[in-house]
Amino acid sequence: MTGPHRQEVADDDGRADVYDAATEVLRESAGPELDEARRRPDPTPEDDELHMGDLAGAGAIAVLRRGIAVTPELRQGLLLTVLLAILTAAGKLALPILIQQVLDRGVRGEQGFRPWFVYGASAATAAAVVVLYLLARATYLRLVRATEASLLGLRLRSFAHIHKLSVAEHSDQRRGALVARVTSDVETLAQFTEWGAVAWIVDNTIIAGAFGVMLVYDWRLGLQTMLLFAPIAVLLPWLQRKQLAAQDQVRTDVGDTFSEVSEAITGAPLVRSYGLEERRRRRLTESIERQYRSRLLAARYSAATLPLADVFGAIALAGAVVTGVMWGPGWGLELGELVAFLFLIGLLLNPLGELAEIVDRTQIGIAGWRKILGVLATPIDVPDPQPHQSVELPTGPLSISAKGLRFAYRDGVPVLHDVDLEIPAGRRVAVVGETGSGKTTFAKLLCRLADPTGGALLVGGVDLRHTTADARQRAIRLVPQDGFLFDGTVGENVRLGRLEAGDDDIRAAFHSLGLGWWLDDLPLGLDTPVGERGTNLSVGERQLVALARAQLGNPGLLVLDEATSAVDPETERALTEALARLAEGRTMVSIAHRLSTAEAADEVIVFASGEVVEHGSHEELVAAGGVYA
């Protein structure tokens, strides 16, 4: 296993802990919405009308239907929101009708000027305007609440779904792109749902209502106006399709840029030490330029869309004036009706112009929604069994049995070939092998971060595919090579091993490993901040925290990716003692990079080219003179 596969596997540390930690951070602000989002099952292929393979070429309506289907928060009260929006739009037609009534019945009617009619009609219209304001406000507030709840749910479901995917799936995904899915893409959707969605309803209702009133006043002049506006109905869908494709490319390029920026920042020490500044700068520049070009193309379509309403509105207005003045009297068109006609055309300009802008905003939102749905539609290739079919792992030390175990990544390159081995419960085993031999992949399979592509892997006599995530997290724990820590305190990071643990439990975990002295030397004890990714601590100190976290969880199987591979001799001695205590009463599998780790193990398993080629004690393998020796 080489290249990006190896890096992804080495970096994929404790995804269950990541999810639990982030969940706790969000719980206070999310409240019941978070619990609802976690309880909601992931879509199954049988439930989906739109699968991942169909998303790339799906149209806006298909994406919209699918998006609403997987966002129940947005569906709640949707009918009420639509009704309020329609009433809001209908209220805007009151002013042109008032003008017509005042002119034709209050000023130029058979009874001449009727002041009380004019005052009464004006008062009624003023009241309608107030009601219109209250309706518009209620509509907006209702939609914002629904939108924020739906965005919370989308983020949580996307986040949870990403952490349910296997190592093989993560190897295919660039992490910056996944970050873009749950950040910038969700924000583009917010801009659409909080404004664009209501605007579609209001503006289309105004357009339909205005044309309807025109036809009532005079069908001939109304028909002329509709014909003059008709080219918009042809040009707008064509521009919409072009713009949707352009905006979809923009969202893809934004994700790529996120990845490049993330690599440039997180890899800054390596970039500087190897003099790779120019190379990284060139890659980042190319990524930004691709995003620039795709944004520019999308902007060209926007620039062609926005002036449409003004151009055809001016033509329609001029046509109505000429036709109304020349032939209106002969058609029986009253002055008030003609003036109202002109006001109705003016009323159309804003929604038609806004409609062009809405199309732009909608394309951005739909493109972002498509990307999010693509994440949610990614099949979970390590699914939990149904509750009635799940099997609990036994307590205490766990045995390991691999029978014909095979594994390959999505590129089809095999990593493990027909691995057969037996590890009795309570044994301390070191797994060794050259880089790319498959030992780290074997460790990930033990934690079910991926499923075998062939054969079976039994832990405690149970096939891991028959266990739930909660059961595995209680019984099996992984300590990654870099001792990954979250930004917070020492105590908060250790508590991830058992979320309900108190400070006394955490201190007891340190002392049981013989690390009480280190905890006592910290300036703030458990409240000592560790910094982002634990940068306030040394590599060895991060490992001490990681071991205490594992001890607090009290698993029956502990998997370590060489906890002593990058520490100084003094810290190695502390870690060695802690590891010896940590191994008591449980099975321990260590991915060993140092000879001292193999020497201290009860048994050594040697991997080469994805196969187990030797196993036995350190002394036996040295005497055998084989690969290990």
Side-chain angles (χ1 to χ4, degrees):
M1 182 173 56
T2 59
H5 290 326
R6 179 158 200 68
Q7 185 60 42
E8 290 291 345
V9 170
D11 289 346
D12 190 2
D13 34 38
R15 292 183 289 118
D17 284 344
V18 176
Y19 177 61
D20 288 341
T23 298
E24 289 304 310
V25 172
L26 290 169
R27 183 176 298 280
E28 293 185 5
S29 59
E33 292 90 346
L34 174 61
D35 294 328
E36 177 65 25
R38 292 191 66 183
R39 287 193 299 269
R40 188 171 297 112
D42 292 292
T44 63
E46 292 76 13
D47 297 331
D48 285 346
E49 295 180 14
L50 190 64
H51 297 170
M52 185 181 179
D54 303 322
L55 285 168
I61 298 301
V63 173
L64 187 63
R65 288 178 59 235
R66 180 64 189 134
I68 293 176
V70 301
T71 314
E73 300 90 351
L74 204 57
R75 297 199 305 270
Q76 294 173 1
L78 182 61
L79 185 61
L80 176 60
T81 303
V82 171
L83 180 61
L84 290 174
I86 291 174
L87 292 174
T88 300
K92 293 186 177 183
L93 298 171
L95 185 58
I97 296 175
L98 168 68
I99 293 172
Q100 180 266 320
Q101 291 292 313
V102 167
L103 287 176
D104 290 344
R105 298 180 60 187
V107 177
R108 294 171 52 85
E110 295 179 356
Q111 302 178 22
F113 179 61
R114 300 166 59 196
W116 291 111
F117 177 84
V118 174
Y119 300 151
S122 299
T125 305
V129 169
V130 173
V131 173
L132 174 66
Y133 163 77
L134 295 175
L135 282 175
R137 183 176 181 274
T139 303
Y140 178 73
L141 291 177
R142 171 70 188 80
L143 190 65
V144 167
R145 282 194 293 269
T147 295
E148 291 303 321
S150 65
L151 296 183
L152 170 65
L154 267 181
R155 279 197 173 100
L156 291 173
R157 284 194 291 278
S158 299
F159 179 78
H161 193 90
I162 288 169
H163 284 89
K164 290 178 181 178
L165 300 177
S166 70
V167 174
E169 185 62 43
H170 277 268
S171 296
D172 289 343
Q173 299 282 354
R174 300 187 69 186
R175 291 182 178 178
L178 292 176
V179 170
R181 297 297 85 86
V182 294
T183 54
S184 64
D185 286 336
V186 173
E187 288 304 318
T188 63
L189 184 57
Q191 296 170 12
F192 162 67
T193 53
E194 289 187 1
W195 173 72
V198 167
W200 272 112
I201 300 170
V202 172
D203 291 342
N204 279 292
T205 303
I206 291 175
I207 292 170
F211 280 129
V213 174
M214 287 181 188
L215 292 173
V216 170
Y217 285 154
D218 190 281
W219 67 269
R220 288 156 294 197
L221 193 55
L223 184 60
Q224 172 189 295
T225 304
M226 292 174 68
L227 290 173
L228 291 175
F229 274 117
I232 295 181
V234 177
L235 292 173
L236 206 57
W238 179 79
L239 289 170
Q240 178 188 18
R241 289 191 295 271
K242 296 289 186 181
Q243 200 167 12
L244 178 59
Q247 290 295 350
D248 192 58
Q249 185 60 45
V250 168
R251 302 318 313 161
T252 298
D253 291 339
V254 167
D256 291 342
T257 303
F258 262 97
S259 293
E260 293 294 342
V261 171
S262 177
E263 287 185 2
I265 293 175
T266 57
L270 182 65
V271 169
R272 293 182 62 185
S273 62
Y274 279 81
L276 301 176
E277 292 89 348
E278 183 59 34
R279 175 184 172 86
R280 298 309 308 178
R281 189 179 298 112
R282 183 172 63 254
R283 286 174 59 93
L284 186 57
T285 300
E286 290 172 355
S287 177
I288 293 173
E289 286 179 350
R290 284 195 299 272
Q291 185 182 155
Y292 166 77
R293 287 192 294 270
S294 61
R295 285 185 181 276
L296 195 61
L297 179 61
R300 289 196 182 105
Y301 290 118
S302 296
T305 303
L306 294 175
L308 287 179
D310 291 334
V311 172
F312 289 99
I315 295 173
L317 194 62
V321 171
V322 172
T323 303
V325 170
M326 294 183 64
W327 293 288
W331 295 343
L333 189 67
E334 299 288 341
L335 175 63
E337 292 174 334
L338 179 59
V339 173
F341 224 102
L342 299 181
F343 269 89
L344 287 169
I345 293 175
L347 187 63
L348 282 172
L349 295 183
N350 183 62
L352 284 173
E354 200 172 66
L355 206 59
E357 186 177 351
I358 296 170
V359 169
D360 178 47
R361 190 70 65 186
T362 300
Q363 303 318 313
I364 297 174
I366 292 296
W369 214 343
R370 178 186 283 115
K371 299 295 185 183
I372 299 167
L373 292 175
V375 171
L376 293 175
T378 304
I380 297 174
D381 47 1
V382 284
D384 275 357
Q386 295 297 320
H388 65 280
Q389 297 175 333
S390 63
V391 179
E392 289 291 324
L393 287 165
T395 58
L398 300 174
S399 63
I400 299 171
S401 175
K403 301 176 181 179
L405 186 66
R406 298 187 300 277
F407 182 79
Y409 285 98
R410 294 192 182 279
D411 56 12
V413 177
V415 180
L416 297 177
H417 314 269
D418 296 318
V419 172
D420 292 297
L421 58 84
E422 298 288 337
I423 300 176
R427 298 277 283 180
R428 184 173 179 179
V429 176
V431 179
V432 302
E434 295 180 349
T435 299
S437 62
K439 58 185 184 297
T440 301
T441 298
F442 175 68
K444 301 303 179 182
L445 294 180
L446 286 176
C447 301
R448 209 195 172 204
L449 299 181
D451 277 340
T453 53
L457 181 62
L458 308 180
V459 175
V462 178
D463 191 319
L464 291 180
R465 288 172 289 198
H466 300 157
T467 63
T468 64
D470 288 340
R472 292 192 303 275
Q473 289 164 18
R474 286 192 300 268
I476 305 172
R477 289 298 170 97
L478 169 69
V479 178
Q481 186 173 359
D482 64 349
F484 184 91
L485 302 182
F486 296 97
D487 190 8
T489 66
V490 169
E492 289 168 347
N493 274 276
V494 175
R495 188 173 285 111
L496 295 178
R498 181 159 51 90
L499 295 177
E500 69 276 11
D503 288 352
D504 290 340
D505 298 319
I506 297 173
R507 292 188 184 92
F510 276 104
H511 284 282
S512 66
L513 296 177
L515 299 175
W517 61 270
W518 178 80
L519 181 63
D520 294 337
D521 285 344
L522 292 177
L524 298 176
L526 292 178
D527 296 325
T528 301
V530 302
E532 185 176 356
R533 296 183 66 91
T535 52
N536 291 352
L537 305 178
S538 68
V539 174
E541 289 175 323
R542 291 200 294 270
Q543 283 290 5
L544 298 181
V545 176
L547 294 182
R549 181 167 60 196
Q551 175 75 347
L552 186 66
N554 191 29
L557 170 60
L558 188 63
V559 182
L560 299 99
D561 191 357
E562 186 52 274
T564 63
S565 62
V567 298
D568 58 85
E570 181 178 356
T571 307
E572 182 182 359
R573 285 194 295 272
L575 282 171
T576 301
E577 179 185 351
L579 286 170
R581 297 192 181 195
L582 189 59
E584 294 175 0
R586 57 176 58 95
T587 306
M588 180 182 290
V589 176
S590 299
I591 308 302
H593 301 284
R594 288 192 175 189
L595 186 60
S596 58
T597 303
E599 288 178 322
D602 299 326
E603 183 178 0
V604 178
I605 298 175
V606 184
F607 275 77
S609 300
E611 299 178 346
V612 175
V613 295
E614 291 180 319
H615 65 88
S617 69
H618 167 74
E619 292 78 10
E620 291 171 345
L621 294 180
V622 171
V627 174
Y628 180 77

